[in-house]
Amino acid sequence: MWFACLRPLPTTSKFRCSNVFGSKSRQCLPRAVNVKLKPLVRMRSSHSLAERELRSLLPTMEELGLREGDHVTVGMSGGVDSATTLRILREFPIHLDVVFMRNWDPLLSESPPESSLPPSPISLAYSSGSTSNREQNLSPCQWERDWNDVLKVATQVGIPKDSIKLVDLSKEYWSRVFEPAVGVWERGGTPNPDVDCNREIKFGALLDVLPKKDRHFLATGHYGRVAHVPLLSHPGPSKLLRAVDKSKDQTYYLSQMTEQQLSRAILPLGSLLKTDVRRLAEHWGLPNAKKEESMGVCFIGERGKFGDFISQYTSPPESGYLVNLSGERLAEHKGLWYYTIGQRARVANQLKPMFVAKKGVGEKGTDILVVPGSDHPMLLCKSVHTSDFHWIHDTFPRELLVKEPEKVGIQVRHRMNPVGGRIVVGGNVKDVTVEFNDPIVGVSPGQVVAIWHDGWCLGSGVIDGTKCEGENMRGGTG
């Protein structure tokens, strides 16, 4: 992922960084016009592919919607996916530059609210990746390692140093992604920051600092496809389509993008299997070809104690209890954000394992309802509602979703098989109810429900109400 991780803030303030993120300064990346790429370094590899096999794997310029002389900025993370993305694009007669996003400044996180420290401007400077001892001590996330991997790959591919940039979008990330997500967790919901990050930061704030020039694109290592050229099956403007590798498809995370954002997006890996991406990276001898894949929420990473991390940023929770259907208090809990709907709750002296069915119950709205068994009716969600559904193309395609319901695919989380269902739109096209053909376990307000038609992503919305077996629609925290 192409961003830096967060470190917990001191507990003396809920949001200690808010006062230092007020700058509205903007700079643009230098245009990639007439960038003279260095000679391509051909690395010997024991995993070389035959020329015919190599060409069969690589997408064509036409498939990606590119033309000779186009300008493409490649968003790199230090991982193998974005590295392979850059190397694929290096095959084409286009102008290339590279950008690495840094979304968290550990020095700013240590600044007290009354600090006079000036806001951190967007940094577009080339750097060797070295940092001060203080910064290394403050940040448990070694984003510098990823930045150095970006430098190694880009240099090997032949990108000049002055075309490799580090962009600091920490204040945008804080205000547009982190603060809203913490607010949802604090209220007991289950947000998806990765969806917000793609809409607001990668294809939002970052696109804003790229030159506003026709035929200037942003390429990433996401697994998905953007059809820029009208196809018989998908006529019209740029469309977001599922990746060929269904196990790696990331269009769920991209489902809040706008049509305008899609028109500037290039996703070269959409036609490849993950195994083929590795093969290409090894064939080209990329420095990070064997680097392990990173997982986890974008700004948290693979932290083991998620609840403890979020607690660094929330107000002290009011006392609450795990309660059963009779209202009996079974145990205290540390905070609503420590639990998700459908999660097993460890409660002693119960005949059957207990699972979280609803949060924010009780007179104070601080209790959590748990039920026996993972197949309890209270866990089986029949439908969800969102009052702010984002249709990528700004309209409800009734003729597709109503006339061809068998082609509808629905997801409420990234790693799940799409399910069928019925889409009901109110008087406002943003007011959407999704009724599942078969109940889904573990659905919570705050999650994102996304809709596809025959592999074409139509959009998504944040769930604000759910309806489970044997109960009426419920909203709030789930």
Side-chain angles (χ1 to χ4, degrees), residues 42-355:
R42 301 285 180 179
M43 304 296 291
R44 290 188 176 184
S45 172
S46 59
H47 301 277
S48 295
L49 300 172
E51 184 67 19
R52 178 178 296 181
E53 184 177 14
L54 176 63
R55 293 302 160 191
S56 69
L57 291 176
L58 297 180
T60 65
M61 291 182 67
E62 183 179 8
E63 289 171 341
L64 297 179
L66 290 172
R67 304 173 189 167
E68 183 175 347
D70 280 345
H71 302 260
V72 179
T73 297
V74 182
M76 295 190 65
S77 64
V80 66
D81 291 333
S82 60
T84 306
T85 293
L86 175 65
R87 184 58 184 82
I88 288 174
L89 294 173
R90 183 66 172 82
E91 295 287 303
F92 304 140
I94 58 177
H95 303 288
L96 289 171
D97 56 41
V98 167
V99 64
F100 173 85
M101 284 201 318
R102 183 187 185 204
N103 285 341
W104 186 255
D105 187 339
L107 295 179
L108 290 180
S109 72
E110 292 297 312
S111 304
E114 65 276 12
S115 171
S116 59
L117 184 68
S120 174
I122 294 179
S123 169
L124 299 171
Y126 175 82
S127 166
S128 64
S130 62
T131 56
S132 67
N133 290 333
R134 182 187 176 205
E135 183 169 325
Q136 290 177 347
N137 291 335
L138 289 175
S139 176
C141 173
Q142 298 300 315
W143 66 267
E144 299 95 334
R145 180 182 59 185
D146 291 333
W147 170 230
N148 285 327
D149 284 342
V150 168
L151 295 176
K152 291 176 184 177
V153 172
T155 300
Q156 177 182 310
V157 170
I159 306 299
K161 285 187 176 182
D162 60 0
S163 294
I164 309 171
K165 307 297 177 182
L166 186 154
V167 178
D168 186 355
L169 296 174
S170 54
K171 64 181 184 297
E172 288 84 357
Y173 194 73
W174 177 275
S175 61
R176 299 188 196 180
V177 178
F178 182 61
E179 278 189 322
V182 170
V184 175
W185 273 310
E186 196 169 22
R187 295 189 297 272
T190 305
N192 195 309
D194 289 327
V195 174
D196 295 336
C197 185
N198 283 313
R199 180 192 68 237
E200 297 291 341
I201 306 300
K202 296 176 187 175
F203 293 97
L206 182 58
L207 269 182
D208 289 342
V209 303
L210 297 184
K212 303 295 189 295
K213 181 182 178 183
D214 189 31
R215 309 300 302 176
H216 192 128
F217 299 93
L218 174 63
T220 71
H222 285 99
Y223 285 82
R225 293 175 294 154
V226 178
H228 291 294
V229 180
L231 306 174
L232 291 178
S233 57
H234 298 286
S238 300
K239 291 178 171 60
L240 179 62
L241 308 177
R242 284 197 185 276
V244 169
D245 191 337
K246 298 300 188 292
S247 67
K248 300 299 297 182
D249 178 70
Q250 292 176 305
T251 52
Y252 177 82
Y253 290 138
L254 303 174
S255 61
Q256 287 270 311
M257 289 178 66
T258 66
E259 196 173 274
Q260 175 62 25
Q261 290 172 331
L262 283 176
S263 71
R264 299 188 66 189
I266 300 293
L267 306 180
L269 304 188
S271 61
L272 295 170
L273 301 178
K274 176 69 177 189
T275 53
D276 289 332
V277 171
R278 288 281 186 189
R279 292 173 66 207
L280 286 171
E282 292 175 354
H283 166 79
W284 284 318
L286 297 180
N288 59 354
K290 296 184 181 297
K291 188 174 182 178
E292 293 185 3
E293 189 172 10
S294 62
M295 302 291 288
V297 177
C298 60
F299 56 72
I300 297 175
E302 299 178 67
R303 298 175 184 270
K305 297 183 178 180
F306 173 83
D308 290 342
F309 172 76
I310 296 300
S311 294
Q312 301 286 336
Y313 301 89
T314 62
S315 302
E318 296 184 45
S319 59
Y321 297 87
L322 301 178
V323 300
N324 60 21
L325 289 169
S326 300
E328 178 186 359
R329 293 178 175 179
L330 305 178
E332 284 192 80
H333 68 76
K334 295 191 292 184
L336 296 177
W337 53 90
Y338 278 85
Y339 300 85
T340 57
I341 303 298
Q343 171 189 344
R344 181 172 178 177
R346 299 189 180 280
V347 184
N349 303 319
Q350 301 298 309
L351 296 178
K352 296 180 66 175
M354 306 296 284
F355 293 83

Side-chain angles (χ1 to χ4, degrees), residues 256 385-391 429-432 460-462 464:
Q256 287 270 311
H385 175 266
T386 173
S387 57
D388 192 25
F389 193 91
H390 167 73
W391 296 101
V429 294
K430 291 181 175 292
D431 187 77
V432 175
S460 65
V462 176
D464 54 34

